[in-house]
Amino acid sequence: MPVTFHTDKTSFNLKQKLLHKQWINSWVESRNATCGHVAIIFTSNANLRRINRDYLNHNYYTDVITFDFSEGSSISGDVFISVDQVRMNAEAYRTEPGDELRRVMIHGVNHLLGFKDGTEEEKFTMRQMENEALHLWLKMV
């Protein structure tokens, strides 16, 4: 499958990798696109902040950064996720860490699909898309 998982500066180990790959691929196909190569890289808060500063000139912590290399309807890119920030988000939003992780993963994939989250309207649409993708996950498990 064209979805791969990696770690950088963290000992995090994603469970059910094959099922997560199938889920992401199914989501992308449901949006009338295909996966070229989507690399999901789990990293630390400090490393993601460094990436944010060095590549985007933003000096703050975040949970996900997406670098989009897509062409046409074939999506490709690198999705960097701070597992530290995901854990903090899960606690703050009182949700399961696995659910929050999947929300952040699909958020990055949605960016590859062309969805933005800069305005309130875009944030609303992004949240709806995340919820639909999470519903798809529940059907698959």
Side-chain angles (χ1 to χ4, degrees):
M1 284 203 169
V3 177
T4 58
F5 299 106
H6 310 274
T7 57
D8 182 31
K9 298 179 178 36
T10 183
S11 61
F12 178 78
N13 184 29
L14 179 68
K15 306 287 190 258
Q16 300 178 298
K17 285 181 180 78
L18 181 58
L19 188 57
H20 280 93
K21 288 178 184 185
Q22 292 169 336
W23 169 61
I24 291 169
N25 197 51
S26 293
W27 174 248
V28 169
E29 287 177 356
S30 78
R31 309 316 307 170
N32 298 315
T34 58
C35 279
H37 182 257
V38 176
I40 304 207
I41 303 106
F42 302 105
T43 192
S44 67
N45 231 6
N47 194 47
L48 196 59
R49 184 175 183 178
R50 182 192 59 75
I51 292 167
N52 204 11
R53 186 180 56 243
D54 292 352
Y55 293 93
L56 303 175
N57 295 316
H58 300 150
N59 192 19
Y60 53 81
Y61 294 105
T62 188
D63 50 9
V64 61
I65 295 175
T66 303
F67 294 97
D68 190 352
F69 311 122
S70 301
E71 294 182 12
S73 65
S74 178
I75 68 163
S76 294
D78 295 337
V79 178
F80 287 86
I81 296 173
S82 166
V83 292
D84 302 324
Q85 195 65 45
V86 166
R87 286 185 192 112
M88 288 187 279
N89 289 354
E91 189 173 312
Y93 300 135
R94 296 183 176 173
T95 187
E96 291 297 318
D99 293 338
E100 182 64 16
L101 179 65
R102 280 181 285 281
R103 180 176 297 280
V104 172
M105 287 168 59
I106 214 66
H107 183 96
V109 170
N110 283 343
H111 279 306
L112 296 176
L113 287 165
F115 293 93
K116 309 260 184 259
D117 59 358
T119 67
E120 288 305 313
E121 185 177 330
E122 290 171 337
K123 286 177 187 174
F124 180 79
T125 300
M126 179 68 83
R127 183 52 59 128
Q128 284 183 310
M129 302 288 289
E130 292 166 2
N131 289 339
E132 285 180 40
L134 291 170
H135 184 71
L136 177 62
W137 168 262
L138 292 174
K139 287 176 159 179
M140 296 180 73
V141 291

